[in-house]
Structures are given as C-alpha cells and as structure tokens.
Amino acid sequence: MSNLIKKIFVFGFFCFIAAIGFLTLDNETEKSEVEGRRLITFPKLDYEKFSDSKYMQNIGDAFSDQLEYRTEMIKNYFAFTTNVLKIGYQGTTVIGKENYLFTEPEVITEEEQYDKRIKRIAKVINREAEKVTASGSKFIYIHYPRKDILMQSYLPSFYISGKERYEKSIEILKENLSDDVIFIDALALFEETGSEEYFYKTDHHVNIEGQEIIYKTVTNLMKEQFPEMDVKLLDSYKIKKTDIEGSFDRNIGNSIDSGKENLAIKPKGWKVQCKRNNNAKIWGKGNTYAKCFMGGDYAFTEVTTKNKKNPDVLICGSSFTNSLESLMVPSSRKMVSLDYRYNTQKKTMADFVEEYKPDYTIFIPCQSDKSFSYRNTKLHLGL
C-alpha cells in the first residue's frame, strides 16, 4: 500500500508540474505590478532557432517571468520572510519601526572626495542658474532629503545613520551656491514642524503633507512679485485615505501592511480651467503615487490656465516634483515641467527657460538612493 501511495504522489506531482508548465506557456503578461517592471514574453515559436543560444535563453527568461502563480509565490515568499522570520533586510529594502520602509544606508567612505563632489554640484548649478536669471527667471533650487535622513526615529537599530554627513554636505552646498540660486532646504523646513512623518510609509516620495510645506514656502516667495496669485492649501481639497502600494513595498512583494494614508486629492468646491498637452489627469485616483499626481512621469508637460494673476512656472526634476506640480497648477498661469529621465529633446533646462520665459524656474534633482549625485544633477539640468 505504501508503494502505491508513493507512486500516486509522484504521478500527481509530475501532473501538477506539467499543468503549471502548460499554463505558463499560454501566459502573455507584459508587466508585474508587484515588482514594478516589464516582464519578458515568449518569442514567436521558431524550430529553426532551437540551436540559437540567445533564442533559447530568451525562452528560459520568459518562462521564469511568465510562470503561472508567479505573483502569488512572490507575495507569499516575502510575507513569510518579513512577517514570520522577521528579516529586517530584503535586498536593498530595509524594514523600520511601525512598518516604515527605507532603502539601504548610503555609506560615504572617502569624505574628501565627497566634499569635492558637492562643490562640483554647486558649480554646475551656478553656471545654469546664471543662464536662467539672464533670461529673466528666478531660479529656485529645492533639495529633499532621503527618507532615512528625516525619519531617524523610525530606523531599525542596525541602520547606519547618514544624517550628520548629510547636514555637513548641505552646509558645503550652501557655502558654494551663488546669489543667483534661491535655495530651499526641505529637511530644515520639515524639522521646524517637530514632525518626521513627511514620507509615505512604504514609498520613497514625500507625502502630501510634506509637499504642502514646500508649496507654501514656494508660493510665499512668489507672492512677493505676484501678491494676488491663487494659493490652494490642503484644506481646499478633498483628501482620500488608502492603502498605498509603495515603491519600497513592491520590492518585497507588497508584504507590508502599512494602514491607510492620505494620498489622492481633489479640488473641493472649486475648479481651475486649464489645458494640458496630454490627457493625463492632474489630480488622479488610485493606490499609487504615480496614479494620483500628474498621471505619473512625463518627459514634457505643459498646463495653461486662464488666471493672469499667477506666474509662469517651469519645474525640472524627477518624480519628486509630481505632487508639487499638482499643487502648483492652480497657482500658475502656465506651468511647464521636464523630466530628463525620459526627455530626449536636445535642449537643456536653460534652453527651455529661454524659450518659455517663466517667471520662476524650480529645480529638484533629488532621487531616492543618493543624497547628492553629480550625474543626476547634470541629467536634470538637461546637460
């Protein structure tokens, strides 16, 4: 009887594997929402290419990406390692207190070289700021900290804090920036409130409450020149709480239960007449940062309103600008935004300023991994 049971088990196991294989071959999923990346699909069947190693490698990679129940297996794996084994590191994602997620620490080993990098960053910003101001635009440079720099109380005990190094870098940067640059230190503004909770729990972006602080600071500067401009703070919006699918959580299979947070905003009792160069929504809905603000990342966006009391604004940076852009629309006559991660036009930021003649140019070169990057700074200047 025991041999019969073994044979039945083996037969059933091979039937299960065969079924998974056949189901996998029929899959054509193009994107993994859990992993946040595009998946490899099966190439067109060609028996003559079976001797081609690259063709067979492509089939192998596609089989891995298209594996039936792949999403469920990823989620279950990370749920087990995170919630049962209590592993604090998952690749580059770090699990902090109260389920706040962070990226791995940024460790600086060569202090002198790093200081030189900060000065090089200031030099290239100064050069482009001079061009911007020569075109009649005021140049505002906003620097956001990495999430771990602000949220020190939520870091796990084994995390290497980089705050002291960050604060030193900010001082070097400020000492080397020219008078053409209006510098806004987001970390200092956040800390003035006495709160650290200005990032989404499972995402690397500043939350809408943190972005409101930046928006108020920017519009207060603009009101010196445009005293009648419209300013819409968060109490002018309906705000929806939701379970956010954050970028860090996607790295670990959406295994973290972070609870509901404020995300999507919608004008409350008012409208702004505007025309956008594409069909993406300024104020969206959903459970991701990308869906809720400006429809995600676009190489070039132009939004025109009919409010002549407001300034013309050009914003240049990465996805960190998206929620600020959503807030800035009712405060702008025309708003142009650039993301040089996707923008292939052979024009620098200064070229766009010369063409559109904005009253204010806002530069935000920040990324989630590096506090200061010379390469990213040049990239977001269009150089």
Side-chain angles (χ1 to χ4, degrees):
M1 179 64 72
S2 60
N3 287 335
L4 178 61
I5 293 174
K6 288 181 181 178
K7 290 179 180 178
I8 292 174
F9 175 79
V10 171
F11 178 75
F13 177 75
F14 279 108
C15 287
F16 173 76
I17 295 298
I20 292 294
F22 281 118
L23 290 171
T24 297
L25 292 173
D26 194 45
N27 288 340
E28 295 181 358
T29 308
E30 294 185 350
K31 184 178 180 181
S32 169
E33 296 298 333
V34 171
E35 299 167 271
R37 68 175 181 89
R38 299 194 70 80
L39 299 177
I40 298 172
T41 55
F42 287 105
K44 185 178 179 180
L45 187 62
D46 187 343
Y47 295 107
E48 295 182 358
K49 290 186 177 181
F50 275 21
S51 59
D52 185 337
S53 60
K54 289 184 178 180
Y55 179 80
M56 297 306 294
Q57 179 66 46
N58 195 8
I59 290 178
D61 292 341
F63 194 90
S64 175
D65 273 8
Q66 298 297 325
L67 185 65
E68 188 73 7
Y69 304 121
R70 173 188 172 86
T71 298
E72 289 76 9
M73 286 189 280
I74 290 173
K75 287 184 177 181
N76 289 335
Y77 167 77
F78 283 114
F80 178 74
T81 56
T82 300
N83 301 322
V84 179
L85 299 182
K86 303 296 182 182
I87 296 176
Y89 267 98
Q90 297 286 357
T92 60
T93 298
V94 180
I95 303 167
K97 299 172 184 176
E98 297 185 24
N99 280 344
Y100 273 92
L101 300 183
F102 302 89
T103 192
E104 61 187 346
E106 183 181 19
V107 180
I108 310 302
T109 55
E110 297 185 9
E111 296 276 337
E112 186 176 342
Q113 290 300 317
Y114 197 76
D115 291 347
K116 289 181 179 179
R117 180 196 300 179
I118 305 300
K119 293 175 182 178
R120 288 181 72 202
I121 288 172
K123 185 176 181 180
V124 72
I125 290 174
N126 290 342
R127 188 181 66 209
E128 297 306 300
E130 184 179 6
K131 298 175 185 176
V132 167
T133 54
S135 297
S137 180
K138 291 183 171 64
F139 185 89
I140 300 174
Y141 167 24
I142 305 173
H143 198 93
Y144 293 89
R146 277 172 36 128
K147 187 177 181 179
D148 58 280
I149 300 299
L150 173 67
M151 305 194 71
Q152 296 283 299
S153 300
Y154 294 89
L155 296 174
S157 58
F158 56 79
Y159 198 95
I160 302 171
S161 173
K163 186 176 181 182
E164 185 177 342
R165 173 66 254 192
Y166 180 85
E167 290 173 335
K168 178 184 176 183
S169 300
I170 286 290
E171 289 306 312
I172 294 172
L173 183 68
K174 289 193 294 186
E175 289 171 3
N176 287 274
L177 289 174
S178 71
D179 293 338
D180 289 327
V181 180
I182 302 170
F183 182 68
I184 295 178
D185 180 1
L187 176 63
L189 292 176
F190 295 155
E191 290 188 329
E192 284 177 6
T193 70
S195 174
E196 297 179 4
E197 297 175 2
Y198 292 120
F199 284 86
Y200 294 110
K201 277 193 170 184
T202 63
D203 196 78
H204 65 280
H205 292 105
V206 172
N207 62 26
I208 194 62
E209 289 82 9
Q211 206 64 278
E212 182 190 41
I213 293 172
I214 303 302
Y215 170 71
K216 285 171 65 176
T217 303
V218 169
T219 52
N220 282 341
L221 284 169
M222 294 177 174
K223 286 180 76 172
E224 296 176 6
Q225 185 177 352
F226 295 86
E228 302 300 319
M229 68 179 289
D230 286 333
V231 176
K232 299 291 186 182
L233 300 178
L234 289 184
D235 57 10
S236 300
Y237 293 88
K238 295 178 182 178
I239 305 177
K240 186 175 181 179
K241 284 181 175 288
T242 189
D243 293 307
I244 297 173
E245 183 183 301
S247 57
F248 290 155
D249 199 19
R250 284 197 297 271
N251 293 340
I252 55 174
N254 293 334
S255 59
I256 294 295
D257 181 10
S258 61
K260 294 184 183 298
E261 299 174 82
N262 290 337
L263 184 61
I265 62 174
K266 183 179 180 181
K268 182 171 62 177
W270 57 275
K271 294 181 179 179
V272 57
Q273 290 182 310
C274 62
K275 183 179 180 181
R276 183 172 177 169
N277 67 315
N278 52 51
N279 295 323
K281 292 184 178 180
I282 294 167
W283 304 287
K285 58 183 179 180
N287 65 344
T288 67
Y289 176 88
K291 290 177 181 177
C292 291
F293 301 110
M294 300 303 292
D297 302 332
Y298 284 85
F300 175 85
T301 298
E302 182 177 348
V303 181
T304 304
T305 73
K306 295 184 177 181
N307 196 331
K308 296 182 179 180
K309 299 182 299 182
N310 295 341
D312 289 348
V313 180
L314 185 144
I315 302 176
C316 192
S318 64
S319 58
F320 274 81
T321 71
N322 293 3
S323 53
L324 181 61
E325 291 171 37
S326 290
L327 291 174
M328 281 302 306
V329 166
S331 299
S332 306
R333 189 185 73 87
K334 176 180 286 188
M335 184 188 76
V336 171
S337 65
L338 308 170
D339 188 337
Y340 277 104
R341 295 174 302 167
Y342 310 100
N343 198 316
T344 57
Q345 299 185 54
K346 294 182 179 180
K347 292 192 291 187
T348 68
M349 183 191 71
D351 292 334
F352 278 101
V353 172
E354 177 63 28
E355 179 179 351
Y356 285 92
K357 303 292 184 184
D359 299 292
Y360 293 89
T361 299
I362 300 174
F363 176 58
I364 304 175
C366 304
Q367 302 286 155
S368 62
D369 54 349
K370 291 181 173 61
S371 294
F372 299 92
S373 167
Y374 181 70
R375 188 186 71 83
N376 285 338
T377 300
K378 289 188 66 178
L379 170 68
H380 291 300
L381 288 168
L383 301 175

